[in-house]
Amino acid sequence: MGDSKIKALHYFIRESNVGELKFVLEDIGSILGNKDFLQDAEIVEALRGYYESHLSHHELPNGTQVVVTAHGRREPENHKAAEGEGEEEQSPSANPAEFVYVDAAKNVKFSLDVTTGECKVLDDACKEADSDSQAFKEKLVESLDKYISERFKPGTTFGTLSVTGENPWTVHIDISCHNLNHKNFWGGEWLSRWTVTHTAGSSDFELTGNIKISNHYFEQGNIQFKLDKAYDTPVKGTAADGDVAQSVFAQISKLEEAYQNSLEAMYEDISENHMKNLRRRLPFTGKSFEWGVSKLV
């Protein structure tokens, strides 16, 4: 396949809206007459990038819901054989489209075939090597689950997090809400990524992150909007009661709620003060049109 076609397909995949990738791949296959393009290494990388950028949700065969993130990326299943070893030393999987991820909040390692979306459980007992960081992570996961259950529509939102480093710890928190209703021609997502820096034994922490929102309405048209809010300046916090995990999510809740409220105020302002002005109050004749049946026949 030529470079220009690969570039075009890469663009279609990258720009696909949340939950619509399967439709895009089906359409591409119909146009090309086959799905051989899914075997191309650049297309495989584009698909992996799509799943990671949208923090995609997947249900494992054991029923566990996991989130695909760049922080959770591990070596692909089809890693090369060790130098000097034969083919028998390769990974059991020879599928170049299968990659390995860890959802540290669920303590599970899994593989994902980016061409089919199918997942396999590789290890369902992954834990932090350090007992202190594992205990801190468990408190964070508890606060994360509580925050999602209280703030988001059931069944639409999942989160994950990981704790790295050695005093201070760095915590990567990913919250992914996919609200899809394709039968009524709309879908959208709320993705928030947060990084927390915290020193063990301290009540203080720093928080940075960003929120990305995208929506797509496609009933007899194609309307999209995308928003990106960055919190690059560290927000400092202190856990007055010593519960750092709870205080972290209280701060996240405060920032996300403030952003949502600002959006609602913006939309109300647009509706009341701008959109109404786009409507023509009278036709070009300058006279109101009489819509009575007797006037139309």
Side-chain angles (χ1 to χ4, degrees), residues 12-265:
F12 292 147
I13 293 170
R14 185 182 72 246
E15 296 300 316
S16 296
N17 291 283
V18 61
E20 299 177 25
L21 178 62
K22 61 180 180 180
F23 306 128
V24 172
L25 297 181
E26 288 174 1
D27 289 344
I28 293 174
S30 297
I31 294 172
L32 297 179
N34 58 65
K35 290 190 176 181
D36 292 346
F37 67 95
L38 293 175
Q39 308 306 314
D40 187 276
E42 290 188 44
I43 297 301
V44 168
E45 284 298 320
L47 291 169
R48 180 168 75 164
Y50 174 89
Y51 283 117
E52 292 180 4
S53 65
H54 289 281
L55 300 177
S56 62
H57 315 157
H58 297 269
E59 183 175 348
L60 300 181
N62 62 7
T64 302
Q65 287 281 352
V66 292
V67 180
V68 173
T69 70
H71 294 300
R73 184 195 308 164
R74 297 296 185 268
E75 288 297 320
E77 281 290 86
N78 60 318
H79 61 77
K80 296 180 180 180
E83 186 175 354
E85 301 293 337
E87 290 296 322
E88 66 276 11
E89 297 296 326
Q90 290 189 8
S91 166
S93 171
N95 182 359
E98 197 168 57
F99 298 92
V100 173
Y101 292 90
V102 169
D103 187 322
K106 303 296 192 305
N107 297 319
V108 62
K109 179 189 288 186
F110 61 96
S111 66
L112 167 66
D113 185 330
V114 297
T115 60
T116 64
E118 296 180 356
C119 295
K120 302 174 186 175
V121 178
L122 302 179
D123 185 353
D124 60 359
C126 295
K127 293 189 176 182
E128 307 294 340
D130 178 60
S131 59
D132 290 336
S133 62
Q134 175 65 23
F136 181 48
K137 187 191 76 173
E138 290 174 356
K139 290 183 179 179
L140 286 166
V141 171
E142 182 180 351
S143 296
L144 169 63
D145 292 342
K146 180 181 178 181
Y147 174 63
I148 289 176
S149 66
E150 292 177 347
R151 295 287 182 170
F152 293 88
K153 180 181 176 181
T156 65
T157 309
F158 299 93
T160 188
L161 57 84
S162 61
V163 180
T164 60
E166 296 182 4
N167 206 21
W169 290 322
T170 298
V171 184
H172 297 290
I173 301 171
D174 296 284
I175 301 173
S176 174
C177 174
H178 293 177
N179 195 9
L180 308 176
N181 193 338
H182 291 151
K183 68 178 182 180
N184 288 317
F185 308 103
W186 61 264
E189 63 184 344
W190 170 294
L191 308 176
S192 56
R193 297 173 171 88
W194 301 99
T195 300
V196 181
T197 304
H198 169 64
T199 301
S202 170
S203 296
D204 300 328
F205 62 88
E206 290 187 349
L207 179 69
T208 58
N210 68 77
I211 300 172
K212 292 186 177 181
I213 302 173
S214 67
N215 280 279
H216 186 208
Y217 300 88
F218 51 97
E219 184 175 12
Q220 297 183 346
N222 182 17
I223 302 175
Q224 303 183 45
F225 73 85
K226 298 182 180 181
L227 301 171
D228 191 344
K229 172 69 174 178
Y231 297 86
D232 295 328
T233 302
V235 177
K236 299 181 182 295
T238 300
D241 57 358
D243 191 338
V244 175
Q246 183 175 339
S247 296
V248 164
F249 282 96
Q251 185 62 63
I252 289 176
S253 175
K254 182 179 178 180
L255 294 173
E256 294 194 350
E257 184 175 1
Y259 185 50
Q260 181 176 355
N261 290 339
S262 70
L263 293 178
E264 291 178 357

